[in-house]
Structures are given as structure tokens and as C-alpha cells.
Amino acid sequence: MKTKTAIMTGLLGLAGVAHFSRPVLFDSIVPPRLGSPRFWTYASGIAEFGCAGLLANRGTRRLGGAATAALMVGVFPANIYTVVKYWDDPRGRAIAMARLPVQIPLVWASAAIAVDTD
């Protein structure tokens, strides 16, 4: 397993654990129009575990890369919502805004894994 794949697998696994061990943190960034925050927190945690599993298995790694890229794009609206939600709190806004550009290398790395021949 290449370093990039190992890092993405680890990040997804840790994020999945965090969604179940500290769900309140993630509930707070689910846009209200989506309905039950806890449902989306757990669903995204399951998706992260699933993507990590796909990446960890050589036979499903390409699918895992594509699924992870899609997941990273899919959660981006929650990151934007968080910026808006914490706009009047300078510290919260700074943290939320710092997360936005982090999604770019995550999507890029995931997409690169999907097309890698190894």
C-alpha cells in the first residue's frame, strides 16, 4: 500500500471512529434542512468506515478512491454551512474557514488513488 493510500485509509478510519465517539461535534455542522443531524453523523461515519475498508483492500482500492473523492465532495456543503454558522465568532469562523481548503488535497489524493495502477 502506498503512503498516500495508507494516510487516507487512516484518516477515514479515525474520522469514522470520531463520528461515533463524539457525535455531538458532528451533529452541530449538519445543515438543519437535512433533517436529523444524528442520522447524518452516523451515516457519514459509516461511509468513512466503508471508504477506509475499500481503500485497505487492493482489489477494491480504485473503487475506494472514487468513493472517497465523492464523499469528500459530498461533505463540503457542511463545511460551508459551518463557516456561515460561526461567521460572528472569530475563532469559530477561522477554524471553519481553515477546513475549506483542506478538502482540495483530500479530493485530489482520493481521485489519484482511484486512477493509480498499483
Side-chain angles (χ1 to χ4, degrees):
M1 180 183 303
K2 292 187 175 182
T3 303
K4 174 176 28 188
T5 305
I7 289 170
M8 286 301 297
T9 302
L11 286 174
L12 288 163
L14 288 172
V17 168
H19 276 75
F20 287 92
S21 64
R22 303 289 302 256
V24 173
L25 296 174
F26 297 94
D27 290 349
S28 70
I29 66 168
V30 175
R33 69 177 62 137
L34 293 180
S36 169
R38 187 59 50 94
F39 168 81
W40 291 107
T41 294
Y42 287 158
S44 59
I46 290 168
E48 287 166 337
F49 281 136
C51 288
L54 290 170
L55 289 173
N57 182 330
R58 187 175 199 172
T60 57
R61 195 162 292 148
R62 286 182 184 218
L63 174 60
T68 302
L71 179 62
M72 294 299 122
V73 170
V75 300
F76 193 71
N79 293 340
I80 294 172
Y81 168 74
T82 305
V83 170
V84 173
K85 179 179 178 177
Y86 291 105
W87 191 256
D88 293 330
D89 173 10
R91 183 175 181 270
R93 181 179 62 229
I95 292 168
M97 289 184 73
R99 291 183 63 189
L100 294 177
V102 172
Q103 293 297 117
I104 295 167
L106 294 175
V107 172
W108 175 84
S110 302
I113 293 166
V115 299
D116 198 347
T117 58
D118 183 27

